[in-house]
Amino acid sequence: MRRYKLAFDPWGLLLFVLIMLPNLVWFAVPAPRDILRGQSGTETLDAVASVCQVLLVAALCGVVNRERGPLRMTALLGSCAVCGLLYYLGWVLYYRGIVYPTVILLLTAPPCLCFFFYALDRKNFISIFPITAFTICHLLCSYINFVV
């Protein structure tokens, strides 16, 4: 635990804001064929996912590994960027009225992987547990509510 300290990681916060940005647009401007606004059949799992998301953000933005290197382009950050672009592609398709299961998965898996790759790059292994828990909950909720 000595290699970690409580400290603010502005890049972690920026990543979270960039991932949440399409969600803010979605809250303000409904998409055509907006199936995401339907009644959830997984309320308890949704609540667990929300708690995990808060823990994810707290760990990603508030815990720093003292042994991490300077922020520079690496394969992990490149993977993070690709996942972010796939996520935005999913939103573009969703707003074009395409709601196939593949699009729903683009709205679910890539942002979680984006957080995961960022955490690995920054050696923030403490955040891996809430990221993994959120990913599992998010995938299950999306699959149950929108794919099945």
Side-chain angles (χ1 to χ4, degrees):
M1 288 302 282
R2 289 184 181 210
R3 72 175 115 167
Y4 293 99
K5 64 179 178 177
L6 291 178
F8 177 61
D9 181 353
W11 296 109
L13 179 61
L14 178 63
L15 177 63
F16 179 72
V17 168
L18 289 173
I19 293 297
M20 291 306 295
L21 194 58
N23 292 280
L24 297 174
V25 171
W26 174 76
F27 281 122
V29 181
R33 299 184 63 201
D34 197 354
I35 65 170
L36 298 178
R37 292 187 192 271
Q39 180 67 31
S40 175
T42 57
E43 291 86 10
T44 302
L45 197 54
D46 294 337
V48 172
S50 293
V51 169
C52 291
Q53 186 178 33
V54 169
L55 294 174
L56 173 165
V57 173
L60 210 60
C61 299
V63 175
V64 172
N65 186 325
R66 298 174 199 264
E67 299 171 5
R68 71 184 185 169
L71 190 66
R72 60 182 177 81
M73 185 48 72
T74 62
L76 288 169
L77 288 182
S79 298
C80 178
V82 168
C83 288
L85 291 173
L86 286 171
Y87 177 61
Y88 273 78
L89 172 65
W91 278 108
V92 168
L93 294 172
Y94 188 74
Y95 267 87
R96 296 208 55 173
I98 302 168
V99 293
Y100 297 127
T102 305
V103 173
I104 300 304
L105 289 175
L106 281 175
L107 299 177
T108 308
C112 297
L113 288 171
C114 194
F115 294 134
F116 183 76
F117 290 134
Y118 179 80
L120 287 179
D121 181 77
R122 306 315 303 148
K123 298 181 181 179
N124 186 343
F125 304 117
I126 288 176
S127 67
I128 297 298
F129 177 74
I131 290 169
T132 302
F134 174 73
T135 301
I136 291 167
C137 292
H138 198 39
L139 285 169
L140 282 172
C141 291
S142 296
Y143 183 78
I144 292 167
N145 287 305
F146 309 116
V147 176
V148 177

